[in-house]
Amino acid sequence: MTAETQAQHSVLVAEDDRVMSDVIRFNLERRGYQVIVARDGLEAWGLLQTRNFDILVSDYQMPGMSGEELCQALRTTYPTRHLPVIFLSARGLELDATRLKDQLQIDRLMFKPFSPRELVAAVAECLQPAAATAE
Amino acid sequence: MHLSSSSQPLIRRLLGYYLLFGLTSLIALALVLLSLEVYWLHNAEDRELLGRINEVRTLIVADHTQTRGVGSQTLVNLLSSEDWVAYAGVVATDGRFTAHTRPSQIGQRGNYDSVKTLNDSIIERRMLGSDGRSAREYWAPLLVGGKALGCLQVGVVDAAENARHYRLSGLLPLAVLGPSTFLLVGAMVLFRAARTSAVIESQLCAVSASDSPADFRLKPLGEPSPAALGWNRLVEHASGRRSISSLETSLSRSLGGLQEKRSERILNALPDGVAMTDKEGCITYTNRSFGILLQQSIQGSQTGGSSASTAASAEQLRGRPIREMFPADTDLHLGSTEELRPVVFEVQLGKEPADGVLRVSRCPLAGDDNAPAAQQVWTIRDVTQQKLADAMRTEFVYSATHELRTPLANIKAYAETLSMHDITDLEQQKSFLNIINSEATRLGRFVEELLNISQLEAGSLSLVRQEIDLERLLIEVADKVRPQMQQKQITFDTVLPAKLPKIHVDKSRFLSALVNLLGNAAKYTPDNGRISFKVAVGPKDLQISVEDSGIGISAEELPKLFSKFFRSSDARVREIPGSGLGLAFTQEVVRLHGGKLIVHSELNKGSQFIVSLPVA
């Protein structure tokens, strides 16, 4: 991958916990992605309207607009309908992964505590087809 | 007559009497017949006698006509051969015997009554002799052509016959009276013998004719016979039983009434609402709690709003469809009325569970033949508190998992990042490591809280007291919470008296309690707020107060503040992670130390929490 290709991918991270969002940003930027952080769902939704992102990494539980609500909103709006979404959640087994995958078409659901290595790999995987076509 | 009191069975007695008096009567009758026969015989003899006399008379008359009475003596003598003839003679019209069986009598004067001998009928004359014996004389007038010639007089032997005659005439009334008397007496005896049974029989007939046992009028008999005594006992027993059974009836009725009243009282004492409906779903019965529990819902459906007026009474509710008692769109699960099992469902009275949740159980009432009857029994329980408690517990579990996983996630993320990447920037390295450290601390604190709470739940929180320096403790508390306060740029001041006493407390627990209070102040006070930590020493107690200028607590929520898992429904509080257990824990610790935890608060202005500890 060229630096240009890498720089093209922008990731929107929606996470209210500053500590967490910082480490996610660190890891994704190291990988070469452009990272924008939103503190809650509403802010994320606003950002999605103004610019294009290649992928959304969102906490499930957020004040204001929750991750699920955010996802529902962007799934019903063009052009974000097909935006890849990765959920991060501390909820664990209480979340119905099947339902989320069916109803909201999320691409990955990762449970906290998670490995940043795995997260970066997941982001790369979701962006793969685009990368392939870009190449 | 005591014959009836004999112990022989009645039938035998009756037969005995019957035979006795019957035979006696027969005997009497036989005697009568016998005497009649004698009489009859006597009559027959008499007739023979008279016939003979007539014969002789005719001969004498014939003789007189022919021979002028020459042969009359001979003829008279004919009669003397008869043994019943005592004497016989012919008396001429001058009254002297012209012929006589006793020759001495001839020529003597005989009794002769010319008047009586005018016709030819034989006259019977009785004479009483001087010796007391009666004699009979027959006078047969001798008539020739209407002219009296004289009279044939025949004396009859009557010695035994006379007596017999009198005996006969005396016997005759006796012969009639005897059997009659015996029959009468017999009748009386029979009557007396049978009377007891007759009375009993008539009473039994009356019983069979009456409609109900209550009409049996059984009277005791006055006789001392065993049968009467037995009957009397039976009567007593029956009337006794009747009075007992009527007593039983009235007792059971009043008991039933009492039981009914008691059942009614029991039902009305239940906190659950109980109602019964008929097959149309209209209320036939409600207990008191039913009206109370549903008053809000009932009134809401009536007036369109919820007015907390008095609960509807049973009379008001009777006859109304039970559907009206619940909110409009409640599903009463009336589909399965066939089975005899209860159907349980929940009804929300409003939008929020806090508005009221009722658990409703509906069960068809089994009929007598165990077929499901159309009636339904409804039981209503207010489960609002349980629902709210469950909701709080669920929320606690969610927030607990969140609170545990979040710092863990951070620790893992930073640790892996450090190991994964070559971070040449030392400052960055340090900052990452610090973050790991503080997150670990955060996690540790929460785990501590969880452990405390599990002890609280188990009720097994016990203190290990030791004497500690209060000032040192307060410093430690402040140090623990200072970073949070600094982060939010909250002004923090402490007011301590010059001399602080030593206190006798469980250091770690008391420390946790104070950290919780100060931590809350820091959590719920917005940026640039103010927190003060004050200690005041009174004569009897020590007061440690934490005052903040935070978001405060509403008056409605103050009473619930110290409940386990309680978290304010204020959005600002909800945003901040918390277990809802801190204050419960703090209060318990203070209580175990013999102290009190007091709170003053005003919404949006701030709160003050005061720990009051007794000082020896």
Side-chain angles (χ1 to χ4, degrees):
Chain A
M1 278 185 290
T2 62
E4 293 153 58
T5 340
Q6 277 177 351
Q8 278 171 8
H9 292 133
S10 61
V11 182
L12 174 60
V13 174
E15 169 65 63
D16 55 328
D17 183 4
R18 181 69 184 267
V19 174
M20 176 55 71
S21 65
D22 281 353
V23 72
I24 293 173
R25 181 210 290 274
F26 183 87
N27 279 281
L28 288 172
E29 281 177 347
R30 272 291 169 118
R31 183 56 191 253
Y33 299 120
Q34 191 185 23
V35 177
I36 308 281
V37 174
R39 291 271 154 251
D40 59 51
L42 271 173
E43 197 185 326
W45 177 243
L47 286 166
L48 281 166
Q49 312 298 310
T50 54
R51 47 190 294 174
N52 286 330
F53 290 94
D54 297 303
I55 186 166
L56 167 69
V57 175
S58 172
D59 187 18
Y60 184 80
Q61 212 168 321
M62 284 186 291
M65 197 185 211
S66 75
E68 186 164 342
E69 288 165 337
L70 173 65
C71 199
Q72 266 174 341
L74 63 90
R75 284 285 174 252
T76 54
T77 325
Y78 186 82
T80 51
R81 200 177 303 178
H82 302 293
L83 185 71
V85 175
I86 294 177
F87 268 162
L88 302 168
S89 177
R91 278 280 188 97
L93 297 164
E94 300 92 71
L95 275 188
D96 189 350
T98 330
R99 177 184 69 88
L100 289 171
K101 291 216 168 107
D102 290 340
Q103 284 183 1
L104 300 172
Q105 286 106 46
I106 59 165
D107 298 83
R108 274 295 286 275
L109 176 64
M110 296 184 76
F111 299 116
K112 293 180 184 177
F114 62 92
S115 156
R117 196 199 310 264
E118 275 179 30
L119 174 63
V120 172
V123 169
E125 201 182 309
C126 289
L127 295 172
Q128 197 83 34
T133 53
E135 279 173 359
Chain B
M1 285 268 181
H2 297 294
L3 290 168
S4 54
S5 61
S6 114
S7 57
Q8 290 295 312
L10 181 68
I11 189 83
R12 221 181 280 172
R13 293 211 322 269
L14 288 179
L15 280 174
Y17 294 149
Y18 173 74
L19 288 173
L20 174 69
F21 292 108
L23 282 176
T24 315
S25 308
L26 278 176
I27 290 166
L29 193 64
L31 284 174
V32 167
L33 284 177
L34 208 67
S35 50
L36 276 180
E37 201 186 319
V38 168
Y39 192 68
W40 182 252
L41 279 170
H42 192 76
N43 255 355
E45 273 186 23
D46 270 356
R47 235 189 290 145
E48 226 186 272
L49 181 101
L50 289 172
R52 193 85 178 103
I53 292 170
N54 224 13
E55 264 183 50
V56 172
R57 176 174 63 168
T58 313
L59 285 173
I60 293 173
V61 166
D63 176 58
H64 210 277
T65 319
Q66 287 170 3
T67 64
R68 295 191 70 226
V70 167
S72 31
Q73 181 66 43
T74 321
L75 293 165
V76 163
N77 287 342
L78 279 173
L79 286 171
S80 67
S81 61
E82 311 275 345
D83 46 359
W84 43 266
V85 172
Y87 59 89
V90 173
V91 172
T93 47
D94 61 346
R96 292 193 187 264
F97 284 104
T98 54
H100 207 279
T101 51
R102 296 181 195 151
S104 58
Q105 286 290 328
I106 298 173
Q108 297 291 321
R109 271 197 104 79
N111 293 322
Y112 180 69
D113 191 341
S114 57
V115 179
K116 284 204 177 109
T117 54
L118 271 177
N119 57 8
D120 65 344
S121 48
I122 299 171
I123 299 163
E124 183 186 17
R125 286 192 70 207
R126 291 181 183 263
M127 290 174 299
L128 194 63
S130 53
D131 57 355
R133 288 163 75 191
S134 60
R136 254 191 305 163
E137 239 188 30
Y138 290 95
W139 288 9
L142 300 164
L143 294 169
V144 172
K147 206 166 102 183
L149 295 176
C151 176
L152 171 65
Q153 290 189 349
V154 179
V156 172
V157 175
D158 207 7
E161 280 173 14
N162 274 339
R164 225 186 305 158
H165 192 85
Y166 278 108
R167 235 180 290 132
L168 174 66
S169 49
L171 212 58
L172 189 59
L174 193 68
V176 170
L177 281 174
S180 315
T181 314
F182 280 120
L183 283 173
L184 268 170
V185 167
M188 272 174 61
V189 168
L190 283 172
F191 175 73
R192 282 193 82 113
R195 193 176 58 180
T196 314
S197 307
V199 170
I200 292 172
E201 191 187 337
S202 69
Q203 290 197 13
L204 288 172
C205 285
V207 163
S208 76
S210 69
D211 292 321
S212 75
D215 293 338
F216 294 174
R217 295 198 200 296
L218 302 173
K219 288 177 211 120
L221 304 170
E223 291 156 29
S225 71
L229 289 172
W231 176 253
N232 294 349
R233 278 178 76 180
L234 207 61
V235 168
E236 248 180 69
H237 188 248
S239 60
R241 276 185 71 175
R242 217 177 333 130
S243 60
I244 285 174
S245 80
S246 69
L247 191 68
E248 274 179 2
T249 314
S250 61
L251 256 181
S252 74
R253 227 181 282 135
S254 60
L255 263 180
L258 272 175
Q259 273 182 344
E260 231 178 76
K261 280 213 185 83
R262 206 172 70 159
S263 306
E264 185 81 26
R265 263 185 268 141
I266 289 173
L267 283 170
N268 276 331
L270 290 175
D272 294 349
V274 177
M276 241 171 63
T277 53
D278 60 18
K279 64 172 184 277
E280 269 97 49
C282 293
I283 292 173
T284 54
Y285 167 79
T286 56
N287 74 339
R288 204 177 52 187
S289 295
F290 188 88
I292 295 170
L293 281 174
L294 287 172
Q295 72 182 60
Q296 192 189 359
S297 170
I298 293 164
Q299 254 112 37
S301 69
Q302 275 179 330
T303 63
S306 60
S307 50
S309 50
T310 54
S313 70
E315 285 75 45
Q316 286 176 294
L317 293 175
R318 199 163 306 188
R320 288 172 61 180
I322 196 155
R323 188 171 284 284
E324 269 180 35
M325 306 297 123
F326 299 102
D329 50 356
T330 310
D331 177 13
L332 291 179
H333 293 80
L334 290 169
S336 54
T337 35
E338 301 313 311
E339 298 152 32
L340 283 174
R341 290 201 308 272
V343 174
V344 183
F345 53 94
E346 284 179 2
V347 173
Q348 271 207 4
L349 293 179
K351 291 209 198 80
E352 299 283 319
D355 292 337
V357 180
L358 298 177
R359 181 169 299 151
V360 181
S361 155
R362 177 182 60 75
C363 183
L365 198 62
D368 286 326
D369 53 355
N370 236 17
Q375 293 184 75
Q376 306 269 335
V377 178
W378 300 74
T379 317
I380 305 202
R381 176 171 296 185
D382 187 349
V383 293
T384 315
Q385 289 309 308
Q386 276 103 295
K387 283 282 160 196
L388 290 175
D390 284 343
M392 279 207 281
R393 193 154 301 175
T394 314
E395 216 181 291
F396 166 71
V397 169
Y398 281 161
S399 62
T401 55
H402 189 273
E403 286 298 294
L404 285 172
R405 287 194 179 122
T406 306
L408 268 176
N410 288 337
I411 291 168
K412 183 183 173 71
Y414 279 89
E416 200 178 272
T417 305
L418 273 172
S419 72
M420 215 168 50
H421 301 283
D422 291 322
I423 298 164
T424 47
D425 188 349
L426 264 175
E427 284 301 315
Q428 183 138 70
Q429 267 187 32
K430 258 196 186 168
S431 117
F432 278 17
L433 288 167
N434 281 333
I435 286 169
I436 291 171
N437 191 21
S438 67
E439 288 301 290
T441 309
R442 176 179 160 192
L443 181 60
R445 204 180 297 148
F446 189 72
V447 167
E448 190 69 32
E449 233 180 61
L450 273 184
L451 286 172
N452 286 331
I453 284 316
S454 68
Q455 274 184 325
L456 251 184
E457 290 270 278
S460 62
L461 202 60
S462 59
L463 305 176
V464 176
R465 291 203 205 207
Q466 56 186 124
E467 219 172 61
I468 57 149
D469 188 334
L470 183 57
E471 194 172 343
R472 201 107 45 104
L473 181 78
L474 296 171
I475 292 169
E476 211 176 319
V477 169
D479 285 345
K480 277 202 160 56
V481 186
R482 209 183 301 271
Q484 286 164 263
M485 293 193 278
Q486 279 173 344
Q487 199 178 33
K488 290 168 102 175
Q489 283 158 335
I490 294 168
T491 325
F492 177 58
D493 48 19
T494 49
V495 177
L496 303 173
K499 191 159 182 240
L500 283 172
K502 287 208 187 300
I503 51 171
H504 203 69
V505 295
D506 181 324
K507 180 169 183 270
S508 62
R509 297 248 163 73
F510 201 66
L511 180 73
S512 300
L514 292 178
V515 165
N516 172 261
L517 290 178
L518 198 58
N520 281 349
K523 262 207 289 195
Y524 299 114
T525 303
D527 295 2
N528 304 308
R530 190 193 179 91
I531 297 175
S532 57
F533 203 10
K534 289 191 195 145
V535 176
V537 180
K540 284 197 202 143
D541 64 350
L542 175 74
Q543 293 199 341
I544 306 168
S545 83
V546 174
E547 208 174 319
D548 67 60
S549 63
I551 56 181
I553 304 149
S554 73
E556 309 161 325
E557 289 187 331
L558 269 180
K560 299 184 256 178
L561 201 61
F562 298 110
S563 313
K564 276 195 277 259
F565 307 118
F566 175 78
R567 293 215 77 214
S568 167
S569 42
D570 190 320
R572 298 172 290 179
V573 175
R574 286 295 160 113
E575 266 182 20
I576 302 162
S579 60
L581 296 169
L583 280 176
F585 173 76
T586 303
Q587 189 187 46
E588 186 63 12
V589 167
V590 171
R591 189 189 70 84
L592 284 170
H593 280 95
K596 277 199 291 260
L597 180 56
I598 307 155
V599 56
H600 304 292
S601 183
E602 199 180 322
L603 195 61
N604 300 320
K605 283 250 176 78
S607 313
Q608 184 191 32
F609 285 80
I610 305 166
V611 173
S612 163
L613 270 185
V615 176

